[in-house]
Amino acid sequence: MTVQRTEPRPGAEARRALVLYDRPLVVDLIELTLTHGGFVVRAAGNLAEAEAILAEWSPNMTVVDMDHDDSTALLKQLGASNTEKRSGLPVLGLTRRGDLKMKLRPSISEWTTS
């Protein structure tokens, strides 16, 4: 997957979002939604791409496909936690699964199923 970059609306302060997702259509939808909300979005299809983005850019939030093979490694790298304490970067975890066991897997505090 190619790293995607979008620019903020003129005059708006750019908020930055990193997306880890390997389905281009879903990335396009997330990017469209976040861009409309004033975010600059960079997308990665795997952990290596996400690490390359993080090496040169600091996001304000991250959207992670929790079904992705690299999701747990990225969450650990970001300092994400499922505790009540604020820890690391805000993360929105997305999953196609509806099972409770997957949703309660440690390392993230908020879930959205699609």
Side-chain angles (χ1 to χ4, degrees):
M1 170 178 283
T2 305
V3 175
Q4 298 179 357
R5 298 171 192 232
T6 56
E7 297 302 321
R9 289 180 279 175
E13 183 178 327
R15 293 173 286 175
R16 298 170 307 279
L18 170 64
V19 176
L20 174 66
Y21 223 98
D22 58 5
R23 295 172 60 196
L25 184 60
V26 176
V27 170
D28 289 346
L29 179 60
I30 293 168
E31 183 176 17
L32 177 67
T33 302
L34 291 175
T35 300
H36 182 72
F39 281 85
V40 173
V41 178
R42 292 195 185 177
N46 57 51
L47 183 59
E49 290 177 6
E51 288 172 334
I53 292 169
L54 290 169
E56 66 180 43
W57 194 68
S58 182
N60 300 106
M61 70 168 289
T62 305
V63 179
V64 178
D65 174 6
M66 297 309 296
D67 300 316
H68 195 289
D69 291 339
D70 294 333
S71 64
T72 302
L74 180 61
L75 291 172
K76 285 181 183 177
Q77 195 168 357
L78 295 173
S81 169
N82 64 347
T83 65
E84 295 288 324
K85 293 190 310 185
R86 182 175 176 95
S87 59
L89 192 63
V91 175
L92 174 63
L94 304 176
T95 181
R96 294 175 295 282
R97 298 181 182 194
D99 64 311
L100 186 59
K101 186 176 181 180
M102 173 64 183
K103 291 180 185 179
L104 295 178
R105 184 176 77 183
S107 69
I108 192 148
S109 58
E110 298 294 328
W111 288 90
T112 301
T113 56
S114 54

